[in-house]
Amino acid sequence: MDREALRSQALNYIESGGLLHDLRKLVARPSVSQSEGSPEDLRAYLTDDIGPLIEGYGFETSIYDNPLPDGPPLMIARHIEDTALPTVLIYGHGDVCNGEAHRWRDGLLPFELKQEDDRLYGRGTADNKVQHLINITALGLLLKANGQLGFNVKIVLEMGEETGSPGLREFLADNRYELAADVLIASDGPRLMPSIPTVFMGSRGAMDIDFTVRLRDRDYHSGNFGGLLADPAMLLAHALASITDQRGQVCIPQWRPNSLTDDVRRTLAGLPHRQHDPNWGEEALTPSERAFGWNSFTILAMSAGTLTAPQSAISGTARAIGQLRFVVGTKMDEILPSLRRHLDAGGFGMVTISCYGEPFKATRFSLDNPWVRFVCDSVERSSGTKPHILPNLAGSLPNDMFTDILGLPTIWVPHSYAECNQHGPNEHARLSIARQGIMIMTDLFLDLANNPPQMT
Ligand SMILES: [Zn+2]
């Protein structure tokens, strides 16, 4: 089938209401993985909603129990033509955040798709239902039209992304051979601008750090003991303040990345700037370099005493949770030891530190990787615009599951935008992005069938 015929089929899927019809059904399932949800709905999304849709295009599907007790089920869909052909792994998540119906504006309900001009409102529209629907449909239309793809496809869908992907790591490791592929091409997260495609190859890492100064197991009167007993809150404030300077520039040498190469700088040079304070962050860098190519430290929360009812007392304890966002090149297992040395050298031996929660690893793929060039070139040809190319997202994803466990180059082509209100009320997808998105994916899959990248 020629490209123009397939493109017009894809366009017709959008224009004739096919996407609206499919997305309405997907959104109607309250597949919430957070507190408001039920395990039955998570499973039903796979068995009754997305599963039949995928099978209708001719893919085989299997549903798996989560390797962790109480974890939600997962699905692998596949179409294997010839093991000599390249294999693409597609990832998506069918679960959504709490609906929080009371917070949506009048006339909108989280689990009822509603179109208002270009916007398609509903919980999970943007994150992530329309995004995997577009990729599955682009593949499905190609398979139906041609009877074959010209490459192999494996699709993995999880139902727990909004609660930290429980069991996904173990599932990928257990099914390492089943999921063997040449590249991950997936869609999640936002474009930098609604009208221009974005391609990103990884994400910044993140580590939350618990800082505690505990000097005494009770508070002491600040009149009787002020000036005599050390104040944990003041000590903690000084310790935290020593981590960056007054404009937030990181002062710990091991926390400053060495990976902002000329290559990365060139890639970031043409990107639109997002909102930023000119007097904050690494002074010598552009805003894009600060967000995508550098590390930043933030205090997420801090406390001593009771803010709503302060007492005339020296707290026994002060505590803060800080967070380092970091790019590749910062050694994750050196983050805490170098902080310890820095605090000790500054006289802050009384501050105890520990990792808080699960850290995210930083990942990034070289723009010279043949798969990266292949996807970026294809997206540019299809859309007629140079895509915004990010070596990594500024935010964090468990992308290392795909790079480290499955050993894949990871290429993300998001079909949403930053103002989509994902995770909040009035979440919506944009029809115009969906239209361009399905064209991009159709062209990309055709390019892969006709002219796959040559590995050297
Ligand atoms: Zn999300």
Side-chain angles (χ1 to χ4, degrees):
M1 175 177 231
D2 70 87
R3 188 175 294 260
E4 278 323 304
L6 197 66
R7 280 177 62 97
S8 72
Q9 267 197 15
L11 191 61
N12 190 47
Y13 175 73
I14 306 284
E15 303 303 340
S16 71
L19 177 103
L20 218 62
H21 169 270
D22 288 344
L23 189 60
R24 175 165 288 123
K25 183 171 160 72
L26 301 185
V27 167
R29 177 76 58 191
S31 51
V32 175
S33 59
Q34 301 178 341
S35 58
E36 287 180 7
S38 80
E40 292 73 31
D41 282 320
L42 294 178
R43 186 169 282 271
Y45 185 79
L46 298 178
T47 54
D48 298 7
D49 303 335
I50 198 78
L53 193 144
I54 297 176
E55 284 159 13
Y57 285 120
F59 296 89
E60 247 179 71
T61 64
S62 329
I63 294 178
Y64 299 79
D65 287 331
N66 196 291
L68 301 186
D70 301 326
L74 300 105
M75 173 182 275
I76 300 178
R78 46 181 101 56
H79 176 82
I80 308 296
E81 280 174 14
D82 182 345
T83 48
L85 294 171
T87 301
V88 179
L89 182 69
I90 304 274
Y91 159 86
H93 67 92
D95 65 308
V96 300
C97 293
N98 281 341
E100 298 187 292
H102 60 283
R103 296 180 59 208
W104 291 56
R105 78 166 150 74
D106 276 358
L108 295 180
L109 289 167
F111 301 107
E112 241 172 63
L113 188 78
K114 183 163 185 197
Q115 179 176 11
E116 287 180 6
D117 301 321
D118 196 39
R119 290 172 162 78
L120 307 176
Y121 287 95
R123 170 60 79 230
T125 46
D127 183 15
N128 165 263
K129 290 177 176 177
V130 88
Q131 303 216 32
H132 59 258
L133 177 61
I134 285 170
N135 296 352
I136 288 164
T137 306
L139 283 166
L141 293 178
L142 175 60
L143 181 56
K144 262 207 141 151
N146 276 359
Q148 58 177 46
L149 292 175
F151 52 93
N152 307 308
V153 163
K154 298 170 181 175
I155 303 169
V156 59
L157 287 175
E158 67 155 325
M159 300 301 299
E161 198 269 349
E162 303 296 0
T163 49
S165 300
L168 181 60
R169 200 172 285 276
E170 293 79 0
F171 181 75
L172 296 183
D174 292 350
N175 294 280
R176 191 179 286 130
Y177 298 107
E178 173 62 39
L179 291 171
D182 296 289
V183 64
L184 175 93
I185 298 175
S187 302
D188 200 6
R191 292 176 168 191
L192 286 191
M193 283 170 66
S195 59
I196 298 179
T198 293
V199 181
F200 64 86
M201 262 63 73
S203 62
R204 283 206 291 186
M207 183 186 280
D208 292 0
I209 302 167
D210 184 321
F211 296 81
T212 302
V213 179
R214 184 181 174 82
L215 298 183
R216 288 168 291 273
D217 50 17
R218 68 176 180 88
D219 300 350
Y220 281 75
H221 192 279
S222 59
N224 297 338
F225 294 95
L228 299 173
L229 293 181
D231 179 359
M234 285 301 292
L235 290 168
L236 180 60
H238 279 283
L240 292 171
S242 76
I243 293 173
T244 77
D245 67 8
Q246 235 172 315
R247 54 171 295 149
Q249 303 185 107
V250 170
C251 298
I252 302 175
Q254 295 81 1
W255 283 21
R256 296 175 62 80
N258 54 6
S259 55
L260 186 55
T261 57
D262 288 346
D263 256 18
V264 175
R265 288 193 123 126
R266 264 196 299 278
T267 309
L268 298 175
L271 299 178
H273 292 338
R274 55 181 62 188
Q275 183 184 355
H276 66 282
D277 289 321
N279 298 322
W280 186 258
E282 199 66 25
E283 197 168 5
L285 304 184
T286 67
S288 293
E289 289 167 352
R290 290 175 202 170
F292 302 110
W294 206 251
N295 298 353
S296 59
F297 179 74
T298 305
I299 296 168
L300 304 184
M302 57 196 298
S303 88
T306 307
L307 203 54
T308 47
Q311 296 294 323
S312 290
I314 304 160
S315 295
T317 303
R319 188 173 170 212
I321 307 294
Q323 182 185 64
L324 184 69
R325 295 267 182 184
F326 55 95
V327 292
V328 290
T330 305
K331 294 198 184 87
M332 199 159 87
D333 48 8
E334 268 299 307
I335 291 174
L336 285 183
S338 52
L339 173 62
R340 181 73 271 159
R341 287 194 298 276
H342 169 85
L343 292 174
D344 288 346
F348 298 112
M350 76 296 285
V351 181
T352 63
I353 52 169
S354 60
C355 181
Y356 182 86
E358 260 310 292
F360 283 97
K361 240 175 126 167
T363 54
R364 172 186 286 175
F365 254 87
S366 161
L367 305 176
D368 289 333
N369 180 290
W371 279 105
V372 174
R373 278 200 314 248
F374 170 78
V375 171
C376 292
D377 290 350
S378 174
V379 169
E380 181 168 350
R381 272 196 307 275
S382 176
S383 63
T385 346
K386 210 168 174 40
H388 292 141
I389 299 172
L390 308 178
N392 51 262
L393 263 194
S396 299
L397 284 173
N399 196 52
D400 64 298
M401 293 190 198
F402 302 108
T403 57
D404 293 9
I405 300 174
L406 300 180
L408 300 179
T410 51
I411 305 175
W412 297 79
V413 186
H415 307 311
S416 183
Y417 74 129
E419 284 74 39
C420 69
N421 294 341
Q422 67 183 106
H423 296 195
N426 313 327
E427 176 179 352
H428 59 275
R430 293 280 292 259
L431 206 54
S432 52
I433 300 180
R435 185 183 296 116
Q436 193 186 46
I438 200 164
M439 290 313 203
I440 285 174
M441 300 316 282
T442 297
D443 280 322
L444 178 60
F445 294 138
L446 266 178
D447 288 346
L448 187 53
N450 295 335
N451 206 358
Q454 298 306 309
M455 296 297 137
T456 42

